[in-house]
Amino acid sequence: MIKLTNSKLATLSRPADTVIVLDFETTGLSPTQGDRAIEIGAVMLKDGKVIDRFQQLMNPGFRVSGFIESYTGITNAMLTDAPSCEEVMLQFADFIGDYNLVAHNASFDQRFLDAELNRIGSHYVGQFACSMLIARRLYQDAPNHKLGSLVSYKNIEHDGVFHRALADSEMTANLWLTMLEDLHLDYQLIKPDFGLLQSIAKQSKSNVNQYLKRQK
């Protein structure tokens, strides 16, 4: 059984509408296979309002593939004069502070955040939540749970840009706030804490409705 420290318990009890929503663009799928981050975008929410943003390209130290250039729109020419991953991640570590973190398909972004911060001997104290896993429980009738599909499903406004870090983090932040609003409307959950949002992702699809009704 995992025992949580007092600091971890404190982060879980913080309001779910005060978080940093982040997104990485990368050279591939796995930092353990040598892939690196090439862009970070993040939105800082406090009491459900955007109060700050972070966006920066970063040079991974090698050329990215033509597939990644096409997929992200980030070209090798754009990365030539970008600061190194290490320089950017030092800045981003300061930006994160002790905030809790949200990402869509968070296991991917968390792997890269952990790997890049480990390279500079840094870490974070907040907890991660995955908006995709939570959306799978709350929006079971959605055609699928990709970010773009959920944005369309919930009629969330966007500028049509996908696979750039800041644009995706902005959309994920709007999806996160939409889920919090739906929890309020459907279950009368006013200002739920971050730990509750994490727990939703761990419920079975058949049980999540009853689970949320018990949280009033």
Side-chain angles (χ1 to χ4, degrees):
M1 183 176 181
I2 297 174
K3 292 184 178 180
L4 296 177
T5 64
N6 288 338
S7 62
K8 288 185 177 180
L9 286 170
T11 58
L12 292 177
S13 66
R14 292 175 183 171
D17 63 1
T18 297
V19 295
I20 287 176
V21 184
L22 63 91
D23 182 77
F24 278 103
E25 300 302 332
T26 68
T27 64
L29 297 177
S30 175
T32 62
Q33 299 297 315
D35 289 314
R36 300 294 302 273
I38 56 174
E39 187 178 36
I40 178 69
V43 176
M44 181 181 287
L45 298 175
K46 184 174 177 60
D47 298 324
K49 304 293 184 184
V50 176
I51 62 167
D52 206 354
R53 293 174 173 84
F54 186 102
Q55 186 276 330
Q56 182 63 63
L57 292 170
M58 55 188 111
N59 190 328
F62 53 86
R63 291 182 62 81
V64 303
S65 70
F67 171 79
I68 293 298
E69 285 188 308
S70 177
Y71 183 74
T72 65
I74 299 171
T75 66
N76 283 292
M78 294 165 64
L79 296 174
T80 298
D81 296 323
S84 68
C85 295
E86 290 77 8
E87 181 180 343
V88 173
M89 294 310 297
L90 279 169
Q91 298 171 6
F92 190 61
D94 287 339
F95 182 81
I96 291 173
D98 63 354
Y99 269 67
N100 286 320
L101 307 170
V102 174
H104 203 72
N105 190 19
S107 62
F108 174 87
D109 296 279
Q110 187 172 8
R111 284 197 303 272
F112 276 92
L113 181 62
D114 290 346
E116 294 293 352
L117 288 181
N118 186 59
R119 285 175 174 267
I120 60 171
S122 187
H123 66 283
Y124 52 92
V125 299
Q127 301 292 301
F128 251 99
C130 180
S131 56
M132 182 178 72
L133 294 180
I134 297 167
R136 284 178 177 170
R137 301 301 182 266
L138 297 183
Y139 306 135
Q140 297 185 27
D141 293 332
N144 63 65
H145 295 88
K146 296 178 181 178
L147 180 58
S149 298
L150 289 167
V151 165
S152 296
Y153 178 73
K154 295 301 295 183
N155 296 313
I156 296 171
E157 290 187 9
H158 64 92
D159 59 9
V161 176
F162 290 88
H163 306 305
R164 288 300 301 269
L166 185 58
D168 283 0
S169 62
E170 295 266 12
M171 284 187 284
T172 303
N174 287 332
L175 173 64
W176 183 259
L177 293 175
T178 297
M179 292 194 292
L180 293 180
E181 182 180 358
D182 287 344
L183 288 173
H184 183 192
L185 293 174
D186 296 341
Y187 299 98
Q188 294 74 56
L189 293 173
I190 301 172
K191 212 170 181 67
D193 63 35
F194 189 80
L196 176 61
L197 270 291
Q198 280 189 321
S199 70
I200 293 172
K202 300 174 183 177
Q203 305 304 311
S204 67
K205 291 183 178 180
S206 60
N207 181 62
V208 68
N209 186 53
Q210 288 301 316
Y211 173 77
L212 289 170
K213 287 180 178 179
R214 294 195 300 269
Q215 304 307 311
K216 296 180 184 178

